[in-house]
Amino acid sequence: MEKNEEAIQVAIAWQQLTGWLRVHAPTSFASLLPPAAEDEIAAAEAQLRQHLGFGLPVELTALWRLCGGVEHQYIEENEEAGEVGSGRFPAGRSAVHPG
């Protein structure tokens, strides 16, 4: 697959994800930062190449061009509303193994 095709796939997935977040998790949606600057991406790429001898995956650079990360948003736990507190995962789920 070409780099451009991979970037397009990332953009489509990102659009779907952010659309879902906008409706179902507005606090998480609000935490999304604007795209990373090209010089920041280039600096990360250069450091990785210098220290490990390879660059960033195409998909990661495509994602950073859409979103530069997240800003922490404090979310108070509210079981009745189904809100999970900041830094927590829903019951039965983890970062490594979704339930």
Side-chain angles (χ1 to χ4, degrees), residues 6 11 27 30 37 49 57 60 78 83 89 91 98:
E6 292 169 339
T27 303
R49 285 196 184 282
L60 181 57
N78 181 342
E83 285 286 351
F89 291 96

Side-chain angles (χ1 to χ4, degrees), residues 46-97:
Q47 286 184 357
L48 191 60
R49 285 196 184 282
Q50 178 185 2
H51 294 290
L52 299 177
F54 56 87
L56 296 167
V58 171
E59 298 87 352
L60 181 57
T61 57
L63 178 60
W64 283 352
R65 286 184 174 109
L66 299 169
C67 178
V70 296
E71 179 178 63
H72 178 74
Q73 302 287 314
Y74 178 75
I75 302 170
E76 189 172 325
E77 190 165 339
N78 181 342
E79 288 184 32
E80 290 179 19
E83 285 286 351
V84 177
S86 293
R88 306 252 338 255
F89 291 96
R93 304 201 192 279
S94 72
V96 178
H97 302 286

Side-chain angles (χ1 to χ4, degrees), residues 3-47:
K3 290 181 179 184
N4 193 39
E5 289 177 38
E6 292 169 339
I8 290 169
Q9 287 184 341
V10 169
I12 291 168
W14 186 248
Q15 185 177 29
Q16 292 171 342
L17 175 65
T18 55
W20 187 91
L21 287 172
R22 184 180 289 116
V23 173
H24 300 286
T27 303
S28 294
F29 179 77
S31 75
L32 300 175
L33 295 174
E38 286 297 321
D39 61 329
E40 293 173 319
I41 295 170
E45 174 87 19
Q47 286 184 357

